[in-house]
Every structure is written in structure tokens, then in C-alpha cells.
Amino acid sequence: MCGIAGFWKTERAREGTETILQGMLSMLHHRGPDGYGHHISPEDGLAMGHARLSIIDLEGGNQPLFSPDKNKVLTVNGEFYGFKPARAQLVCEGRRFGTKSDSEIALHLYERDGLDFVRHLRGEFAVALYDREEEQLILMRDRFGIKPLFYRYTEDGVYYGSEVKALLAHPEVPRELSHESVLNQLMQTMVPGTSAFKGIYAVKPGHMVIIRKRNGRLEMCEQRYWDMEFPEEQPPEAAQPDQTYIDGVRDKLIESIQLRLEADVPVGCYLSGGIDSCSILGLATALRQDPVKAFTISFDDDQYDESSIAQEMARFTGADQVQMNLSGDDLYGESYVDTLWHAERTFYNTLGVAKWHMSRVVRENGYKVVVTGEGSDELFGGYPAFKRDMFLHGTAHLPESERKIYQQALDRNNALFRGAILSEKPMSHPAFESLCGFTPSWIQPWMLTLEMARPLLHDDVLAELKDYDPVSAIAEQLDPRMIEGRHPLDKAQYTWIKTMLEGQILNWGGDRVDMAHSVESRPAFLDHHVAEYARLIPQRLRVYGNIEKWVLREAMREILPEVLYKREKFAFMAPPGNTQQGKRKALRSLIAGFMGSEQIEKTGLFDRKRLEGFIEGYFSEEDPVQMKRQDALMNHILGLHILHRHFIQPDLPRRAQEMATPATR
């Protein structure tokens, strides 16, 4: 786990290139406090940098890495699992290694297989690889987008980095929020491949961006190497026995966790009250000889606190548990501001702030690697929105006896799911109706939020965006070939995976807040071998009646406490800001600091009077459904003003120094 940054220009590198590169890397100090490395080739106009968090080959794994002839240069952020057998095979082919790190296998695989080398890589990673002979730079991201990677491209130069702030530290990269992305953030869902900033894009999950120098100009193309390709609908009789899938899930997950427990430093686990992290801990305990260190968040609101179940799981496994108790004061204030600096996009709930605190506690306990449970809901149909779509659209082919089970479940769940955000009325959008045959339940509440948010924008922004439909923009980025002929549950899962998983769960709920304190998170469910097996599991084994993730529950039945095995899905969220007086006071203080009349005018995104009216209504709202939706929107609005203060107004190097945490300073 590290940070990478650099640039490649058509002209010869000028004096001061090293200083600029060092400035970009300084933005990533939290990602790699254990050392810096760089390579500058003046004649090629190339600068590549690496900030290292040492986990494998602590003494010898410094980067950049070079081919024997020095014509290929590699920097990696992340981990390649199963690298030792791959290295042994490459050695048997006559290739020689200069380090014991996992990263070096990518260089040799590329030399052997060209662009096809990626199919041999297993793990979470972002890669920058320069090939001088081919005059090309390859920017590549793992299959689900666990590790971030951003770029800005022009015909004269390309700039890249693990985080946007590294790009913004380059004097030739303009600082400007994208108004289209403003609207998408207000409705929670980013357009795949975009960032919050104008002209800066994210390398899409499962893709590589290839930049080649041709006739004195840089040409760019995008190439997909993997996707979550669900099979086309099969008749029920084509399925294997249920137990086959149960055993298969268990076997794949054991292998994935075993790989992720390998490191040259201690490895712990995140532990909530859900079956995902509890499954991870249960299997990790079985795979380890010593007690596993487990880190748990506790909230001061019984409706959102899962710590009692996490404690039972820790006792059940004999884990060495560290529990962090958070109050409203912890979720707002400076920690809220710091989380936005690291996330570089807004969030609808302070769960990201809670996880920012958790990574701090992990590092204070002497750990910098944790195995986590993200991705299970995506693979096994765990979210309430998936369950609703299965109820509404996915049971037509089932026998009448089974359809009745789902109808009874739907009748019980028509009310808003506790802890989740679902639309209280049906919503439809033609772009998704055309793409999927229905509008997935997961995006419907954010369409309602969009209706509330758009009128708050400044008139100039409204005029600029009058022809922009953020929902259509999302749908247009989804490949219809991956959706046509698929089961409705697969469609719901696929559209979520391509949007909310990468843009939310793995961003402000994952890498960005974990790496804020130099902690590498390893989501074992998102191993692509696990995913490729999960997509073959019949839909009725993912969501069976009112039981979500049924196949995973059965696979983990003997390692879970009974209360957890039988427990219905509960969305892991932090308590909203308008639920308690202390949180309301802390939130008001943040609003006063970042959204005073002068700051609203300076930011220029919102109409001041309309926004102030919304804020007044927010604090007086009593309807629980509206409170939840308004709280999400309030977080996004506040977050946009903080992002503007962070990245558009300030001196970035000074701000980066201010944000340096005790763990990385």
C-alpha cells in the first residue's frame, strides 16, 4: 500500500521538475510515510514518484522498479496476492528479481505478456508503468476500484496520482470543482470515471488508460480488461445443488482471507455486528495460530450501535478486541473536515468520519494492515434495495409456492427499512427503464434527493446545467452488454457495483479514510476469484424470501453466533446529525464555520437565500423520512463548501502540512 504520482510531457523536462514531483508526493505523505522514491528522465519528459507504506519486503521493496535494461519503470500502490508462486515460475523462466516484494512480478509479467499481464495479477492495486521502447505510459486500476487512481490528460501532457490533491499540486493542473459533479454529489451517485474536479478523471475499475506518444503528441485510449459479468438468465433446472454453492463460497473465501493475512507486519480485522466482518474474523481466527486483533466502532445511539453483537463475536472467536466509542462530538468538528480532505468528495453520512477515527486507533495500536468485509453485500445481494428489486421484479420464473414466499416478504417490508435509505414512493427514470427494464431501487431515493437539491443551486449554475441530467449521465456509462438478458437482481447488483461500490463504499468508506492514518485495508470478499464464483450463484440463493445473503449465511453458519446468523441486514451507518441535541449543536458550528453568508457567496454554488431557508427547515423538520433525506443532503452541501475551502482557495502545501496526522508526521 502506497501512493503514486507523476507526469509525462511531450517536451523535455524543465529545471524544477524534481521539485514539482516532490510537491505532488508530499500530498500523499499519509499514504506512504515510510519512504519516497522517484525517477526523472529529462529527455523523455517523464517524472514518476512513489510514497511507500512498507508491508512486504520491508527493507528491500523500494520503488520505482526497473527492468534490467532500464527501459521499463514501474510504480505500484496496493498488493498482489499469490505473488510467491508467480515469482518462482518467472525465475524458472530465467527472469531475475532484485527485490522480495510482490510488486516486482508485474514488471516481469509485462515484459513477458505485454498488456495481457494484468490477467495474472490478483489483489487490489493501482499501477503506473512506463515503457520507453513503446513510448507509452499505462495507468491501471484493480477490478473493483479498491485503490484510487486519477489523471488529467491533454495532448501535451498527462498528470496522475493516487489522490486528486497530488495532481492539484502540479502548477499546470487547474483547480476547479466540476458543476456536473456537484449535482451528482448532491444526489450521492457519481458518474463512473469522474471526480469532483473539472478535467480530472478516475481510472475506471477493471480498466487501463494507455497514453502513447505519436508524432510529438500524446494519444490516449481506454481499455477494459475485466468486468463483473453475470451470466445470462438460466432456467432453474440448470443450477447445481444448493450445497455445492454453499461449499464453493466457503472455499473461495477461505483462500481469499488466507492470502490477505500474509504480510511482513501484523494484520488485524475490522469487526462490526454484521455477518460480513464477523465471517472474516471467524475464518481469520481459524487460519491463524494466535488471537486476531479486532477493531470495533461503538456509537452513542442504540438505534445505530452494533457493538454488542461485535463483542459477542469477539468472545466467540477469542479475538483481542479494541472497541472505540464515538459520540456526536467525535463525528463533527475537525474530524469531519479532515475526512473530506482525504475523501475528496462529499458523503451523505458520517460513517466515513467514524472510520477515519477507527484507522487512527488501528495505527495507535501498532497495526497498519486490516482485513475488512466490504463487498459482501454487492456479491450476495445484501442491501435492502436488492431485496426490494428481487421482490418486485425477480420472481416471475419461480414456482407459485416460492413466489408466495417472496410476496409475503414484500408485504412485511413495504415500510422503510430501518437504517437504510429507500424511496418511500416508486420513482422511475427513462434512462434506467431503457437500460434495465426498471429503475433500480438503490437509485430511487437519490432521485428524490436530486429533486430537493437542484432548486438550491445558484441561478448561474442552474443555467449552466439546464440540459444536464445526472441520472442519464450515470446510465450512459454502464455497458448495456453486461445488463441485457440478465436477471433483475443481477442488474440491480451490477449497476450498484459500477457506481456506489467504487464511488462510495471503497472511497469515503474504505481506502481514503483508512489511508488517512497509513492503514492498508484488504477487502477479502472483493477478491476476483470470489466474485467470479459469486456471480454464478442462483438469485434465489442470494435473496431467499426475507433472508438476504442466504448462501453466505449457510456457508458461515458454524462460525457465527446464532443471534447473528438469524439477524436481518442492518445498514452500518453513523447516527444522523439531527437525531440528538449534541450533534445538532456540533453541526451548527460546522455550518457557521464553512457556510456563512460570505462563504456561500464566495463558493458560488448555491443561492444564498434558498440555501439558508433549507438550513432553517432542516433543523425544524420532524418527519423521520424527511429528516434522513435532508440530513444526507445537508452533509453533501456542507461537504462541497469544505472541499472548496480545501482545494480551490488555499495554498495546498500548507494545507497538506496542516492535515498531516501524528501517525504520519
Side-chain angles (χ1 to χ4, degrees), residues 423-438:
S423 175
E424 64 275 17
K425 64 179 182 180
M427 298 290 292
S428 177
H429 193 283
F432 273 97
E433 294 291 334
S434 175
L435 184 68
C436 299
F438 63 97

Side-chain angles (χ1 to χ4, degrees), residues 452 578-579 584 614-631:
M452 186 185 301
N578 49 9
T579 54
R584 294 162 68 92
F614 169 78
I615 295 171
E616 182 179 345
Y618 167 82
F619 283 109
S620 61
E621 182 61 63
E622 296 182 356
D623 177 79
V625 174
Q626 287 301 313
M627 285 176 67
K628 188 173 294 185
R629 181 158 295 121
Q630 289 182 14
D631 185 69

Side-chain angles (χ1 to χ4, degrees), residues 356-411:
W356 178 93
H357 281 288
M358 178 54 77
S359 68
R360 172 179 53 81
V361 171
V362 169
R363 198 60 197 257
E364 289 172 355
N365 276 268
Y367 281 70
K368 54 183 176 180
V369 182
V370 287
V371 185
T372 72
E374 287 91 357
S376 171
D377 290 311
E378 283 75 12
L379 299 185
F380 300 109
Y383 291 117
F386 297 162
K387 188 189 293 188
R388 177 175 282 183
D389 287 337
M390 183 68 174
F391 293 166
L392 294 175
H393 311 292
T395 63
H397 69 289
L398 295 176
E400 179 64 25
S401 58
E402 291 195 32
R403 285 205 303 272
K404 286 182 178 179
I405 295 173
Y406 285 99
Q407 184 59 51
Q408 292 168 357
L410 176 60
D411 293 341

Side-chain angles (χ1 to χ4, degrees), residues 22 25 35 131 179 236 248 327 349 379 389 444-445 469 472 487 503 531:
Q22 289 174 345
L25 290 174
D131 185 334
H179 286 172
S327 67
N349 180 263
L379 299 185
D389 287 337
Q444 292 184 35
D469 182 346
S472 291
H487 187 277

Side-chain angles (χ1 to χ4, degrees), residues 275 553 557 560-569:
I275 69 170
R553 290 174 189 268
R557 185 169 190 167
L560 297 174
E562 185 176 8
V563 64
L564 185 56
Y565 167 74
K566 293 182 176 180
R567 187 185 187 220
E568 188 174 357
K569 167 70 179 177

